[in-house]
Amino acid sequence: MAKDTKVYDYKSGAVRDRLASEFRKSRGEATVADLVVRTGLPKYQVETEVRAVADEFGARLRVTESGEILYSFPRGLHSRYRGLGPTLKRLWKALRKGAAAVAAFLFKIWIVVMLVGYFVLFLALTLVALAASIAAQTAGNRDSRGRNRGGGGGLMFTGRILELFVRIWFYGELFKSPEQRYHERERRLARSADRRPLHKAVFSFVFGDGDPNEPWAETEKKAVAAFIQANRGILSLEEFMTLTGHRPGEAEDAINRYLYEFEGSPEVTANGTIYYFFPALMRRKDERDRTFGGSAPLKRLVPFSSNPRKANVWFAALNGVNLAFGSYFLVNALSRGIPSLPPGAERIPADFYRIVLMLVSQVAADPLSAVLWGLGFVPAAFAVLFYLVPFLRSLRLARTNEEIKRQNLRKLVYARVWDEPGRVSPGTAAVPDEAANPADRKAAQKAVEELAAWAGGEPDAGGAWSFPELARRRADVEAARRAVKPEDYALGGAVFDSESPGAG
């Protein structure tokens, strides 16, 4: 006697594989009834798992003349989650994420040490060279006739460097009143409580602070689920597009995931309009409206840095000092090498490069190489990289924010068309919100035209568009909503409580 198999007790993976195999045999098209007959599986199992197959392989839903849903795979069945390709992609993503985290931590420490360390080193060398130059000048920079023997170039150079620091650090303080000093001190004390660690501030300037929209997938799912709950469990594809900003083709693929995760099913009206019904989301106790005030959530623009502008200016200035000194030593090491002193000159040379070379010779066997690489090439290359990375990031950030603006604008344009499909002017669909205002002034018009090409919009002589097909679909969807009775999905009172007396 054959063992009875429960309809609700089955291996989902095996059922999905059977369904995928049948889709391949039927050239990628089948209805639920076709799959039941061909596989011999219970209708419940087919209806449940066909949503997972549709999501995994990117199904396209079509409606036949009889009103039946036809699952179609015009691009073939290529899994997005299984197989060698998706596995390698997930592995590579995990390895890249882990390596990036470790590299980011080490780079934070290294970049701060390089920026601040070289700045302090160059400042110290400047002060030492200044002291040496002054000593050389006072020891005998004039001959017996009182004429200057030369060497004032180094003193002039170091003097100007010192003057630069004096102007930067002290000049502004000379003319401040005691009241100004007091208020500035109070402001510094107030800011010190919220001041970021130096390494985080420097890293924010170079690499930014990450994507503020990183948890967007979760935010989007919450918005879609809240809309479904607020609209009697029914969602149209057009409404899904207004919530997500997906283009029509993208939306048709993306909604399969929601059907699978939220146990929804595609339905069709008598007029052939497809909508999606999610009865499981109707059974709720929390009746609060979580639909963002009835509007679609918009993505935030990604800022360049969370640092105050003044802090970024200081980082750029410190790096500029490093670049200037590094370039100076690099050029002199390549062009001058180890210059010899004039005959008979035994005093300390009043030349910045020679003084530094002499100091380095006290600790390095090859002072020229130490100056060339340690004080020249390395800090100069680092300074160039310190400027280059934020510059390239700003270019990429501009493109990212433009895409965010276009996606946000599509949401608003689609919502405008869906709310009033009778007549829409692209000019009135645009909004002044910075997060939905791309540089392309015709972006709103392009979004309307793209939607019109998919939904059969019709232009008029004034440049406006009408969408009679969307108006018909909207009416069908609203009629389907009116037919749903919320009381059929009410929870009612509790009939059992595990804490009540006698429950055990």
Side-chain angles (χ1 to χ4, degrees):
M1 182 177 179
K3 182 180 179 181
D4 292 336
T5 302
K6 295 181 180 180
V7 172
Y8 303 101
D9 183 14
Y10 63 94
K11 295 181 179 180
S12 59
V15 172
R16 294 175 194 176
D17 290 340
R18 288 280 301 278
L19 296 178
S21 176
E22 289 302 325
F23 274 120
R24 292 188 178 93
K25 293 178 181 178
S26 59
R27 297 183 180 179
E29 286 191 345
T31 64
V32 170
D34 292 331
L35 297 172
V36 170
V37 172
R38 294 172 184 170
T39 62
L41 296 171
K43 182 174 180 289
Y44 169 80
Q45 296 180 12
V46 173
E47 287 182 331
T48 301
E49 299 304 328
V50 74
R51 293 191 293 262
V53 174
D55 168 62
E56 180 177 352
F57 297 100
R60 175 184 177 187
L61 303 183
R62 302 171 60 193
V63 181
T64 65
E65 293 181 354
S66 63
E68 199 64 34
I69 299 295
L70 183 65
Y71 290 88
S72 176
F73 298 86
R75 296 182 295 272
L77 277 79
H78 304 286
S79 176
R80 294 187 287 185
Y81 310 121
R82 294 186 293 174
L84 180 60
T87 300
L88 291 178
K89 286 182 179 179
R90 289 193 295 270
L91 179 60
W92 171 247
K93 183 177 180 181
L95 291 175
R96 186 175 60 182
K97 185 177 181 180
V102 174
F105 174 77
L106 296 177
F107 197 74
K108 285 181 182 179
I109 305 301
W110 178 76
I111 200 173
V112 173
V113 171
M114 291 289 289
L115 178 67
V116 179
Y118 266 109
F119 177 79
V120 172
L121 175 61
F122 287 139
L123 177 60
L125 289 176
T126 300
L127 295 177
V128 172
L130 178 62
S133 296
I134 294 175
Q137 293 284 13
T138 57
N141 62 342
R142 294 181 179 275
D143 57 18
S144 59
R145 298 180 180 181
R147 292 179 298 183
N148 198 316
R149 292 180 176 178
L155 179 61
M156 182 179 297
F157 175 81
T158 52
R160 288 182 177 179
I161 292 294
L162 183 61
E163 181 184 1
L164 174 64
F165 288 120
V166 170
R167 288 179 178 275
I168 292 176
W169 293 101
F170 304 111
Y171 181 77
E173 297 290 330
L174 296 178
F175 302 100
K176 290 182 180 179
S177 65
E179 291 79 9
Q180 286 178 305
R181 297 176 189 274
Y182 172 77
H183 289 299
E184 288 186 359
R185 184 170 62 253
E186 291 297 317
R187 285 197 297 267
R188 286 195 296 269
L189 291 175
R191 290 195 301 265
S192 62
D194 300 325
R195 187 170 297 169
R196 308 176 68 186
L198 179 62
H199 72 279
K200 290 186 177 180
V202 173
F203 203 71
S204 174
F205 171 73
V206 180
F207 293 101
D209 298 279
D211 186 1
N213 303 305
E214 185 175 357
W216 186 253
E218 180 181 347
T219 301
E220 186 176 271
K221 285 184 179 181
K222 289 180 179 179
V224 173
F227 181 90
I228 293 171
Q229 285 187 333
N231 289 271
R232 301 193 177 190
I234 289 179
L235 175 71
S236 68
L237 187 63
E238 293 81 6
E239 291 165 337
F240 181 70
M241 290 160 56
T242 66
L243 293 170
T244 62
H246 290 312
R247 293 182 173 87
E250 298 170 345
E252 291 176 349
D253 289 337
I255 202 169
N256 288 319
R257 188 67 185 174
Y258 287 82
L259 292 174
Y260 171 56
E261 291 188 359
F262 298 148
E263 297 183 358
S265 62
E267 307 289 343
V268 60
T269 67
N271 295 325
T273 298
I274 294 179
Y275 65 92
Y276 307 94
F277 187 44
F278 298 83
L281 296 182
M282 294 286 288
R283 304 185 183 279
R284 57 173 178 158
K285 183 173 181 59
D286 186 358
E287 298 292 336
R288 284 178 293 178
D289 185 356
R290 303 179 182 273
T291 58
F292 293 85
S295 60
L298 300 181
K299 283 187 175 181
R300 296 163 54 192
L301 298 180
V302 183
F304 175 79
S305 170
S306 60
N307 292 335
R309 184 176 181 275
K310 185 177 180 180
N312 289 337
V313 171
W314 272 112
F315 294 147
L318 294 182
N319 188 62
V321 173
N322 291 347
L323 179 60
F325 275 101
S327 301
Y328 171 80
F329 285 115
L330 180 62
V331 170
N332 277 273
L334 292 175
S335 61
R336 299 173 62 183
I338 302 181
S340 59
L341 293 175
E346 297 179 356
R347 60 183 175 78
I348 299 177
D351 181 282
F352 182 57
Y353 173 69
R354 286 181 176 178
I355 293 174
V356 172
L357 197 62
M358 182 186 67
L359 293 174
V360 173
S361 65
Q362 304 300 315
V363 295
D366 187 357
L368 179 60
S369 297
V371 171
L372 174 64
W373 293 100
L375 298 180
F377 179 80
V378 172
F382 169 79
V384 171
L385 185 64
F386 191 88
Y387 283 137
L388 183 62
V389 172
F391 173 72
L392 296 178
R393 183 171 65 86
S394 67
L395 298 180
R396 186 180 64 179
L397 194 62
R399 293 193 295 269
T400 298
N401 283 334
E402 278 300 302
E403 178 55 34
I404 290 175
K405 291 177 182 181
R406 285 192 292 268
Q407 187 177 22
N408 286 340
L409 180 63
R410 281 198 300 272
K411 293 182 182 181
L412 301 176
V413 169
Y414 291 166
R416 174 79 169 80
V417 173
W418 183 248
D419 290 340
E420 299 179 20
R423 189 175 189 277
V424 177
S425 174
T428 61
V431 292
D433 192 323
E434 177 62 24
N437 188 20
D440 185 0
R441 300 305 175 188
K442 295 184 178 181
Q445 179 178 344
K446 292 178 180 178
V448 172
E449 293 175 353
E450 183 180 45
L451 184 62
W454 174 74
E458 300 174 357
D460 61 20
W465 290 81
S466 61
F467 294 81
E469 178 62 18
L470 287 186
R472 182 191 65 78
R473 295 183 197 174
R474 179 182 173 88
D476 282 356
V477 171
E478 292 300 329
R481 284 199 177 105
R482 289 193 295 270
V484 176
K485 298 179 180 180
E487 57 270 19
D488 292 344
Y489 302 91
L491 296 181
V495 297
F496 174 79
D497 189 339
S498 61
E499 297 296 328
S500 62

